Amino acid sequence: MPLTADALDELRALLGPEGVLSEPAALFTYDADAMTLERVAPDVVALPRSTDEVAAVMLWARAHGLPVTPRGAGTGLAGGCTCETGGVSLSLNRMDRVLRVDHERLFAWVQPGLVNLWLSQQLAPAGLYFAPDPASQQVSTIGGNVSTNAGGPHCLKYGVTLNHVLGVTVVLEDGTSVTLGGEACDAPDFDLASVVIGSEGTTAVVTAVCVRLLPVPEDVQTMLFDFESVEDACHTVSRVIAEGIVPAAMEIMDRHTVGLVEAWLQMGLPTDAAALLLIEVDGPAVSLPAQVERIGAIAREWRARSRRVAKDAAERALLWKGRKSAFGAYGRTASGFYIMDGVVPRTKLAEALATIYRLAEARGLEAGNVFHAGDGNLHPHVLFDAKSERQQQDALEVSHEILRMCIRFGGTISGEHGVGIEKRPMMAELFGADDLAVMERVRAAFDPARRLNPGKILPGGAGCGEAHAHGRAPAQLGGTAFRPDAEGPWI
Ligand SMILES: Cc1cc2nc3c(=O)[nH]c(=O)nc-3n(C[C@H](O)[C@H](O)[C@H](O)COP(=O)(O)OP(=O)(O)OC[C@H]3O[C@@H](n4cnc5c(N)ncnc54)[C@H](O)[C@@H]3O)c2cc1C
């Protein structure tokens, strides 16, 4: 049901005219995140500037019976901020300030729309930084990172976003605002902040975040190895960790990915290698040479053909550039591709990769891989011709088979991108009905009306009422479709 002019005027009175978007052309730009397969434009976009304004929007939406879907930068890869059932897209982008930094106690309060990288850039003169570093960090917001519990290359050593959030201020569905957790490292009450973190906007709207800060490591060493087999690269990863060395990052790119990146950037990468393994260690300068040497020895034992150690910051940035350009390289060659986000135990990496190639090949499709090898977090990409319905369907089925393989191998269906719309059907394959019912009850304790991001995460569950009220049924699909024409400024 379209919103009445009176209802829109009420919202403008709350947020000011520039805080409300209702023109179809503007709504069109909010109809998806980076998973462009599923597009639904919201009825209205609200752009609050404060916790009080978020609360006012929640009450306004409640009065008009509208669902509310929080949105950060829209870089999510699971359809999390897509307004599947219409209603309000609540964009937190105008709340993008660092509110307070405590240099002594090493925390900062920030607004949710702050871009991840901007925080570390602002902290750099003080020798501090925010550790979670999703590859989208130039664009994605702290609120989005908190709500998806984002990971990133350096989360192997430092942990995911959850490990770097001390507290959150949130607005609930009924417009109340509350702070969960806080500046102290531990509190005796139930850890409700941890329920909100990773709940993908289904429990509350995050309006401020107390983040833990770390001192910038004294020294960093970055190495690149190339292997004749992906298995040898994977064995090197397992061996390094088994020896008690925890690098800051361990990332693998397979031959397919290396070829595409090299064709694009001409960095001198060895395109005949079956896999490149990038390993970074950081910490006190005195501790690094021994780690570099031991890692080199392990890689040699697993038949690494060569090792390159970055001489300075410029060379380190170059080595990372190859890794971080992988998504863009896929976009240049295929008219469509699915990106998945599954996890397998590290010891199963080699077998998992062989299975992925086989599954894609069986349907005549190409698959590439670039992934956080240290924590077994795979990002298989299945390439397809976007003009071919058949290929698209095949790629979708391969993606489901890959996620099933992750479950079978003792892993899980999302390492960091979240469930959103994309992996919702797979939740019932990973969890039993009882588990899902408990999750639903936890969610309902926060949002009994199921008005916040309805229909996401739990299969066939919460929010369907709103969907029917708006005459739209939540879609059931899987896989993340990327098309070059839908690309943003990806790194
Ligand atoms: C090229 C590329 C690389 C990526 N690399 C990584 C990676 O290395 N690691 C990783 O984890 N992810 C990665 N992602 C996925 C994505 O960037 C992350 O999930 C990121 O955390 C999303 O942030 P965002 O600001 O774009 O949030 P959005 O996409 O806008 O929203 C994500 C979810 O959070 C909810 N949400 C957003 N803000 C709030 C809020 N203030 N309160 C409540 N709910 C909210 C939304 O409703 C939605 O469910 C990558 C994506 C791309 C395109």
Side-chain angles (χ1 to χ4, degrees):
M1 202 188 348
L3 282 168
T4 63
D6 283 352
L8 287 172
D9 283 346
E10 282 171 32
L11 190 59
R12 285 190 196 102
L14 295 171
L15 303 180
E18 71 292 346
V20 179
L21 302 176
S22 59
E23 292 300 312
L27 299 180
F28 171 72
T29 58
Y30 288 81
D31 71 357
D33 61 6
M35 188 193 84
T36 53
L37 194 64
E38 176 69 3
R39 292 176 179 273
V40 184
D43 294 306
V44 66
V45 178
L47 295 134
R49 282 162 301 195
S50 65
T51 298
D52 286 349
E53 287 191 356
V54 171
V57 173
M58 291 309 299
L59 290 175
W60 174 86
R62 195 179 219 222
H64 292 278
L66 292 169
V68 177
T69 301
R71 183 181 178 102
T75 67
L77 287 161
C81 69
T82 303
C83 296
E84 206 183 6
T85 58
V88 185
S89 178
L90 183 65
S91 167
L92 283 307
N93 290 115
R94 292 205 300 173
M95 294 174 65
D96 64 353
R97 284 181 301 123
V98 175
L99 300 170
R100 181 160 68 90
V101 180
D102 189 321
H103 294 92
E104 303 272 298
R105 293 169 64 196
L106 298 183
F107 66 75
W109 278 97
V110 304
Q111 290 187 307
L114 181 72
V115 169
N116 173 305
L117 193 62
W118 297 356
L119 176 56
S120 292
Q121 283 171 343
Q122 289 190 40
L123 294 166
L128 298 174
Y129 79 117
F130 178 58
D133 64 336
S136 58
Q137 73 177 150
Q138 290 188 4
V139 188
S140 64
T141 64
I142 303 281
N145 299 163
V146 167
S147 303
T148 54
N149 191 17
H154 291 84
C155 292
L156 169 63
K157 176 171 177 181
Y158 292 101
V160 291
T161 304
L162 175 75
N163 306 111
H164 299 272
V165 174
L166 296 170
V168 285
T169 298
V170 297
V171 171
L172 303 172
E173 183 273 334
D174 65 0
T176 17
S177 68
V178 57
T179 295
L180 307 171
E183 297 167 8
C185 274
D186 201 2
D189 54 349
F190 285 1
D191 185 2
L192 297 179
S194 295
V195 179
V196 171
I197 296 167
S199 69
E200 301 182 37
T202 63
T203 52
V205 184
V206 176
T207 60
V209 187
C210 183
V211 293
R212 187 194 301 277
L213 306 178
L214 294 181
V216 174
E218 188 189 349
D219 197 9
V220 183
Q221 292 287 337
T222 308
M223 298 153 263
L224 189 69
F225 301 95
D226 71 284
F227 293 86
E228 271 175 17
S229 88
V230 186
E231 288 78 8
D232 285 346
C234 294
H235 287 307
T236 302
V237 169
S238 295
R239 190 67 228 149
V240 168
I241 303 268
E243 290 216 1
I245 304 171
V246 184
M250 296 177 103
E251 301 281 311
I252 289 182
M253 284 200 290
D254 69 0
R255 187 198 312 268
H256 188 253
T257 309
V258 173
L260 297 180
V261 171
E262 182 58 23
W264 182 20
L265 300 176
Q266 281 119 45
M267 299 171 54
L269 296 175
T271 48
D272 60 334
L276 294 189
L277 169 60
L278 185 130
I279 302 187
E280 187 160 280
V281 289
D282 66 11
V286 63
S287 69
L288 298 191
Q291 290 185 44
V292 170
E293 196 175 316
R294 184 61 201 134
I295 289 170
I298 294 170
R300 263 197 312 280
E301 281 162 30
W302 286 104
R303 295 171 282 278
R305 296 190 311 184
S306 72
R307 179 184 75 166
R308 179 170 167 187
V309 183
K311 286 183 293 301
D312 49 30
E315 194 174 356
R316 182 175 323 121
L318 186 73
L319 297 187
W320 273 108
K321 187 175 175 191
R323 160 63 183 89
K324 291 188 176 181
S325 304
F327 282 17
Y330 288 123
R332 287 181 75 243
T333 42
S335 59
F337 60 94
Y338 286 113
I339 304 165
M340 277 149 280
D341 170 37
V343 181
V344 295
R346 249 188 320 266
T347 46
K348 290 275 190 186
L349 273 174
E351 196 181 342
L353 288 178
T355 310
I356 290 166
Y357 298 134
R358 193 168 38 72
L359 288 170
E361 234 175 80
R363 291 176 191 261
L365 297 170
E366 272 185 279
N369 256 297
V370 53
F371 56 100
H372 310 311
D375 43 22
N377 186 186
L378 299 167
H379 290 319
H381 297 55
V382 179
L383 280 62
F384 61 89
D385 175 358
K387 289 193 230 74
S388 160
E389 283 280 321
R390 169 74 200 279
Q391 277 207 9
Q392 184 158 330
Q393 191 53 36
D394 278 349
L396 192 64
E397 280 165 26
V398 170
S399 79
H400 282 155
E401 286 164 11
I402 290 173
L403 293 178
R404 281 191 193 104
M405 169 205 73
C406 292
I407 298 174
R408 225 176 30 250
F409 282 6
T412 188
I413 57 170
S414 175
E416 51 185 22
H417 295 170
V419 177
I421 301 172
E422 182 212 6
K423 300 191 195 76
R424 186 172 51 199
M426 302 300 296
M427 287 288 276
E429 302 200 23
L430 183 60
F431 297 104
D434 291 352
D435 302 320
L436 293 170
V438 170
M439 291 181 216
E440 176 50 37
R441 281 167 58 197
V442 171
R443 188 206 152 155
F446 279 80
D447 175 20
R450 294 165 190 162
R451 197 174 300 291
L452 272 168
N453 210 358
K456 300 289 169 59
I457 303 184
L458 299 173
C464 293
E466 286 90 345
H468 292 311
H470 284 76
R472 295 169 182 148
Q476 293 289 325
L477 44 90
T480 296
F482 242 31
R483 300 219 171 80
D485 62 354
E487 274 194 334
W490 316 128
I491 51 171

